[in-house]
């Protein structure tokens, strides 16, 4: 059982011991794959996706239901895309913390400034 001093701190824990334990903890965190930290992907069956008519692939958009859709409209060239042009998935201002597909589309699509 650890002894607690008058200041409420466990006695016998030195800065050196604390630093070595922290270094070990950082090493373990570094081993966790980056994909485990990534935001979840939006699914076409999600409530937001349905409301916006989101599809993972712009080629699968129902042209009769969304007549203003054009094949050149993709999430990657939308003003709300929050990733790099080469990212296959990234954030979107419309989907909160979920990621969307670069090749996707939804009815909130708007051209990036200066690209129209």
């Amino acid at each position: 059982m650890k002894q607690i001093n008058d200041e409420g701190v466990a006695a016998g824990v030195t800065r050196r011991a604390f630093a070595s334990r922290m270094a070990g903890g950082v090493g373990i965190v570094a081993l966790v794959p980056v994909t485990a930290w990534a935001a979840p992907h939006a699914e076409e069956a999600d409530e937001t996706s349905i409301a916006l008519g989101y599809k993972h692939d712009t080629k699968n958009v129902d042209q009769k239901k969304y007549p203003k859709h054009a094949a050149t409209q993709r999430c990657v060239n939308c003003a709300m895309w929050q990733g790099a042009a080469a990212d296959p998935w990234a954030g979107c201002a419309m989907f909160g913390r979920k990621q969307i597909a670069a090749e996707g589309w939804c009815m909130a699509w708007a051209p990036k400034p200066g690209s129209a």
Side-chain angles (χ1 to χ4, degrees):
M1 183 170 195
K2 293 195 180 216
Q3 301 237 347
I4 307 295
N5 66 15
D6 294 335
E7 296 167 358
V9 178
V13 178
T14 64
R15 281 187 234 159
R16 182 175 291 157
F18 177 77
S20 67
R21 289 179 187 155
M22 286 299 295
V26 170
I28 290 170
V29 170
L31 295 175
V32 175
V34 175
T35 55
W37 300 60
H41 293 169
E43 297 298 330
E44 291 180 3
D46 291 347
E47 186 178 334
T48 304
S49 298
I50 292 169
L52 293 171
Y54 171 75
K55 296 291 181 190
H56 291 308
D57 191 338
T58 192
K59 297 173 193 164
N60 298 333
V61 174
D62 183 349
Q63 200 62 40
K64 290 181 183 176
K65 191 171 181 180
Y66 303 102
K68 293 184 178 183
H69 169 262
T72 57
Q73 297 174 348
R74 299 176 303 145
C75 293
V76 74
N77 62 19
C78 175
M80 294 176 227
W81 177 256
Q82 297 174 343
D87 292 342
W89 292 83
C92 170
M94 300 302 292
F95 284 83
R97 295 181 181 210
K98 292 191 177 180
Q99 293 191 341
I100 55 167
E103 296 299 315
W105 180 88
C106 83
M107 64 187 209
W109 184 90
K112 285 189 178 187
S115 66

